[in-house]
């Protein structure tokens, strides 16, 4: 319930959390935990940032990144059963 009411979610870059937020249509900022399994959270966060689905900042970049982020440029995540994107 809280997720659906949130205007903005700031979270780690775990795949499950990201998917939940994107499917709920929430604006999302991820801060990857860089010490996990060969930086898989960094890789996922950066890949989805390149797709325009979220913002990905390292912990030291978060304050400046939030001030500069243009959330109007984020793409909507495709609805379940919708067309895939590349």
């Amino acid at each position: 319930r809280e997720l659906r009411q949130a205007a903005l979610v700031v979270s780690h870059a775990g795949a499950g959390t990201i998917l939940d937020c994107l499917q709920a249509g929430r604006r999302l900022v991820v801060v990857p935990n860089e010490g996990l399994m060969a930086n898989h959270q960094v890789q996922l966060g950066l890949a989805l940032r390149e797709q325009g689905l979220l913002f990905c900042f390292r912990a030291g970049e978060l304050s400046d990144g939030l001030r500069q982020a243009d959330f109007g440029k984020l793409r909507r995540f495709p609805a379940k059963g919708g067309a895939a994107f590349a």
Side-chain angles (χ1 to χ4, degrees):
R1 179 178 173 197
E2 290 86 4
L3 179 60
R4 296 209 182 279
Q5 294 175 342
L8 173 67
V9 176
V10 179
S11 178
H12 68 102
T17 302
I18 289 174
L19 187 58
D20 287 346
C21 291
L22 293 177
Q23 286 180 333
R26 302 300 91 191
R27 296 182 299 170
L28 179 59
V29 173
V30 296
V31 182
N33 180 340
E34 298 184 50
L36 296 177
M37 298 188 321
N39 284 337
H40 76 281
Q41 286 193 1
V42 173
Q43 294 169 349
L44 179 60
L46 293 176
L48 294 175
R49 180 183 73 186
E50 288 177 16
Q51 293 289 320
L53 294 168
L54 53 76
F55 287 101
C56 179
F57 303 115
R58 290 189 156 88
E61 304 169 334
L62 184 58
S63 287
D64 287 338
L66 286 172
R67 279 191 284 277
Q68 296 174 13
D70 182 354
F71 289 96
K73 291 185 177 180
L74 290 178
R75 292 177 52 207
R76 304 264 315 153
F77 190 68
K80 287 183 181 180
F85 62 95

